[in-house]
Amino acid sequence: QVQLVESGGGWVQPGGSLRLSCAASGSIFSIDAMGWYRQAPGKQRELVATITSGGSTNYADSVKGRFTVSRDNAKSAVYLQMNSLKPEDTAVYFCNAQIRSGPKSVINFWGQGTQVTVSS
């Protein structure tokens, strides 16, 4: 069994910062891409940022220059540093990982989600 456990969400005032963490555990052969998605009330889930096993990153235009995604392959972990937060960043943030339990099979896993609220 594989689990993704997230932490670091909460409430912050506009302009503030938060750091999200996500660690994978269980039967893991290797991990391909990892990343973060978010879903605001009444909206579809959207990509925030992804990072490959080699460190290549991709960001949504709305967070470029404010958010930074990173990972620690030894810990099977991915992080999201969020700076200059805006009210429109308020959402449930989900960790995602493409995990291989063997050399040929890859499965897309999701964390349980962590709430980020940006308001004054």
Side-chain angles (χ1 to χ4, degrees), residues 3-73:
Q3 276 191 316
L4 297 181
V5 178
E6 300 150 344
S7 60
W11 172 83
V12 65
Q13 292 185 332
S17 299
L18 282 175
R19 178 179 168 87
L20 305 182
S21 300
C22 172
S25 63
S27 179
I28 298 172
F29 176 77
S30 64
I31 304 178
D32 292 351
M34 303 183 81
W36 295 91
Y37 292 70
R38 67 186 181 188
Q39 187 167 18
K43 295 187 177 181
Q44 290 191 337
R45 190 172 298 187
E46 63 176 4
L47 180 147
V48 177
T50 61
I51 183 168
T52 68
S53 57
S56 296
T57 58
N58 180 49
Y59 294 93
D61 288 342
S62 59
V63 306
K64 283 180 180 176
R66 300 188 298 122
F67 291 10
T68 302
V69 63
S70 61
R71 65 189 280 174
D72 185 332
N73 291 328

Side-chain angles (χ1 to χ4, degrees), residues 82-117:
M82 304 184 292
N83 298 328
S84 302
L85 281 160
K86 305 175 181 180
E88 50 264 44
D89 294 318
T90 295
V92 178
Y93 284 69
F94 295 90
C95 172
N96 174 267
Q98 298 171 353
I99 295 176
R100 296 180 181 271
S101 58
K104 295 184 177 181
S105 63
V106 57
I107 299 175
N108 208 30
F109 284 91
W110 292 93
Q112 79 282 2
T114 185
Q115 178 70 46
V116 171
T117 302

